[in-house]
């Protein structure tokens, strides 16, 4: 998927949307943005960093833009990591009054407003304390079209996720080292559900006299291992137009069998055509769906991979043989798992289940 160059207005919209959705993100004590930022002289437009959950977006002519640091490595065709951007010298960012945005193979530095008090900014700006927010703002250009104004939610302090048209985008903190010089953090971006999922590692650093996290490196990575449940504490199957629920007669036996099937599954591509947009049905049209609750509380749904097509003024559900959709709140993976697919698609599970 090729990224597209964003205009100043599009980037402003991203910031405005982030501010509007910060209620779902844990924040520090709040102070009004206008009491922190001074106006930008000369009428130059700037994207204000969020301070205490508010941002001031200045309208006007575009501010200075500087493209720096060309890609360090071309994309790889064999699934190995590909470095999209590499900053070779942390000190190069030390005195820049700019914020780095990834834009189609390079970083564009956007001027940020002059602050009245650096100490106030450091104390209250969530951008200094949360590399996940910084990664989400600076790399929006990696997301599919239409995601710039998506509503983001948080399932934990270290995860931001959003869903649009069946595609899930998730930023997740992998590690953070505040004791380093400079402090560093690693954030993973998952974009799944398109049939050709994309995964990125975003490496960030934070210079103590600045109040933002900066991008050090962006790497496109192969798909990680399948996020299998660490254990199953509950399961059920829903079926039919009314989505009637069933539970197993012998929970442990069924749970063990499902675990074995998942352990032998491999990732695959979703090859069916996309369903028509904005379809709404008053009944359940999905194939039989398995619902699991993992030992850690993760909610998982598994169903034969399917799409909906329109033929002769009617809608028809098509499934992709031997392929199941494995969905959590933060990712959707397509797995080649013939036995589990057949168990669901042929209603074979009914022999060992009863109405819940």
């Amino acid at each position: 998927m090729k990224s597209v160059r964003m205009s100043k207005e599009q980037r402003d919209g991203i910031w405005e949307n982030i501010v509007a959705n910060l209620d779902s993100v844990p924040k520090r004590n709040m102070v009004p943005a206008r009491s922190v930022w001074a106006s930008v002289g000369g009428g130059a437009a700037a994207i204000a960093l969020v301070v205490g959950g508010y941002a001031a977006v200045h309208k006007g002519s575009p501010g200075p833009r500087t493209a720096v640091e060309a890609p360090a490595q071309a994309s790889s065709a064999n699934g190995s990591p590909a470095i999209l951007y590499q900053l070779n010298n942390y000190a190069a960012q030390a005195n820049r009054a700019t914020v780095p945005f990834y834009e189609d193979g390079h970083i564009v530095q956007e001027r940020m407003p002059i602050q009245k008090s650096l100490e106030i900014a450091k104390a209250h700006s969530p951008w200094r304390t949360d590399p996940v927010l910084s990664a989400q703002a600076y790399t929006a250009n990696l997301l599919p079209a239409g995601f710039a104004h998506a509503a983001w939610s948080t399932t934990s302090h270290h995860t931001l996720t959003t869903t649009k048209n069946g595609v899930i985008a998730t930023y997740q903190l992998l590690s953070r080292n505040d004791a380093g010089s400079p402090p560093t953090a690693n954030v993973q971006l998952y974009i799944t559900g398109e049939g050709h999922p994309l995964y990125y590692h975003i490496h960030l650093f934070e210079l103590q006299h600045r109040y933002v996290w900066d991008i050090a490196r962006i790497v496109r990575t192969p798909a990680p291992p399948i996020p299998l449940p660490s254990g199953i504490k509950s399961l059920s199957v829903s079926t039919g137009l009314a989505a009637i629920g069933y539970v197993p007669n012998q929970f442990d036996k069924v749970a063990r069998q499902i675990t074995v099937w998942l352990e032998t599954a491999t990732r695959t591509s979703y090859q069916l055509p996309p369903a028509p947009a904005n379809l709404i049905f008053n009944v359940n049209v999905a194939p039989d769906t398995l619902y699991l609750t993992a030992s850690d509380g993760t909610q998982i749904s598994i169903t034969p991979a399917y799409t909906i097509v329109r033929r002769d003024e009617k809608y028809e559900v098509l499934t992709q043989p031997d392929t199941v959709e494995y969905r959590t709140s933060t990712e959707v993976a397509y797995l080649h798992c013939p036995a589990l697919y057949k168990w669901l698609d042929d209603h074979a599970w009914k022999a060992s289940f009863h109405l819940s």
Side-chain angles (χ1 to χ4, degrees), residues 62-98:
R65 292 158 52 88
T66 306
V68 298
E69 302 289 336
Q73 177 182 321
S75 60
S76 171
N78 60 8
S80 60
I83 299 176
L84 304 182
Y85 167 76
Q86 176 79 53
L87 178 67
N88 296 313
N89 181 6
Y90 287 151
Q93 186 65 20
N95 297 315
R96 286 185 177 140
T98 57

Side-chain angles (χ1 to χ4, degrees), residues 3 8 66 144 165 350:
S3 58
K8 180 65 170 61
T66 306
N165 298 329
K350 283 189 174 182

Side-chain angles (χ1 to χ4, degrees), residues 3 53 65 73 87 90 138 176 179 185 189 204 233 240 257 340:
S3 58
R65 292 158 52 88
Q73 177 182 321
L87 178 67
Y90 287 151
Y138 302 159
R176 177 172 175 171
L189 167 60
L204 302 104
K233 66 180 183 181
Q257 182 60 76
L340 182 52

Side-chain angles (χ1 to χ4, degrees), residues 3-355:
S3 58
V4 294
R5 193 171 301 278
M6 289 187 292
S7 68
K8 180 65 170 61
E9 289 72 21
Q10 288 173 313
R11 193 174 284 116
D12 282 352
I14 292 172
W15 283 94
E16 290 171 339
N17 187 66
I18 291 169
V19 175
N21 288 287
L22 273 177
D23 286 343
S24 63
V25 180
K27 299 185 287 291
R28 307 180 77 177
N29 293 333
M30 297 173 65
V31 295
R34 295 183 184 277
S35 68
V36 178
W37 305 113
S39 60
V40 179
I47 302 174
L49 293 182
V50 177
V51 179
Y54 295 90
V57 180
H58 299 266
K59 304 297 182 181
S61 60
R65 292 158 52 88
T66 306
V68 298
E69 302 289 336
Q73 177 182 321
S75 60
S76 171
N78 60 8
S80 60
I83 299 176
L84 304 182
Y85 167 76
Q86 176 79 53
L87 178 67
N88 296 313
N89 181 6
Y90 287 151
Q93 186 65 20
N95 297 315
R96 286 185 177 140
T98 57
V99 176
F101 285 87
Y102 177 77
E103 189 173 272
D104 198 13
H106 56 257
I107 293 292
V108 171
Q109 299 288 347
E110 291 281 3
R111 184 187 298 278
M112 59 190 176
I114 302 169
Q115 71 279 1
K116 286 185 177 180
S117 168
L118 180 59
E119 291 306 314
I120 291 177
K122 284 184 175 182
H124 296 284
S125 172
W127 301 98
R128 183 175 187 272
T129 59
D130 196 335
V132 178
L133 285 174
S134 293
Q136 187 252 330
Y138 302 159
T139 62
N141 192 236
L142 294 174
L143 301 175
F147 271 67
H149 298 286
W152 294 83
S153 62
T154 177
T155 54
S156 70
H157 182 62
H158 297 139
T159 302
L160 283 171
T161 186
T162 190
T163 302
K164 187 177 181 67
N165 298 329
V167 178
I168 299 178
T170 299
Y171 289 87
Q172 184 171 24
L173 183 67
L174 298 180
S175 63
R176 177 172 175 171
N177 179 15
D178 288 314
S181 181
T184 57
N186 293 308
V187 174
Q188 183 153 36
L189 167 60
Y190 301 79
I191 304 171
T192 59
E194 295 179 297
H196 299 281
L198 296 170
Y199 301 87
Y200 301 91
H201 278 169
I202 304 164
H203 303 256
L204 302 104
F205 68 99
E206 189 252 342
L207 300 172
Q208 293 298 312
H209 63 281
R210 284 168 61 82
Y211 49 92
V212 296
W213 287 83
D214 289 285
I215 297 174
R217 185 169 56 160
I218 301 174
V219 182
R220 187 170 62 248
T221 66
I226 300 166
L228 299 179
S230 55
I232 300 173
K233 66 180 183 181
S234 71
L235 64 89
S236 64
V237 174
S238 70
T239 184
L241 297 178
I244 298 173
Y246 290 76
V247 293
N249 300 330
Q250 296 177 284
F251 172 83
D252 290 341
K253 181 179 180 180
V254 175
R256 284 194 299 270
Q257 182 60 76
I258 291 170
T259 300
V260 170
W261 285 334
L262 290 175
E263 286 175 345
T264 62
T266 56
R267 286 186 183 268
T268 188
S269 296
Y270 179 86
Q271 298 172 349
L272 293 170
N278 303 317
L279 281 181
I280 299 176
F281 297 97
N282 294 323
V283 294
N284 174 54
V285 297
D288 294 357
T289 303
L290 172 65
Y291 293 96
L292 307 177
T293 302
S295 298
D296 61 2
T298 300
Q299 301 294 315
I300 302 166
S301 68
I302 303 174
T303 188
Y306 75 99
T307 191
I308 299 172
V309 296
R310 188 172 184 177
R311 291 178 178 172
D312 299 326
E313 303 302 319
K314 295 182 179 179
Y315 290 103
E316 182 179 351
V317 176
L318 300 180
T319 61
Q320 182 162 316
D322 299 336
T323 303
V324 296
E325 178 190 281
Y326 182 98
R327 181 179 293 269
T328 70
S329 62
T330 58
E331 183 180 8
V332 55
Y334 294 99
L335 310 181
H336 182 259
C337 192
L340 182 52
Y341 170 88
K342 184 176 178 62
W343 186 71
L344 289 168
D345 194 57
D346 288 350
H347 316 294
W349 57 270
K350 283 189 174 182
S352 52
F353 278 66
H354 63 272
L355 281 170

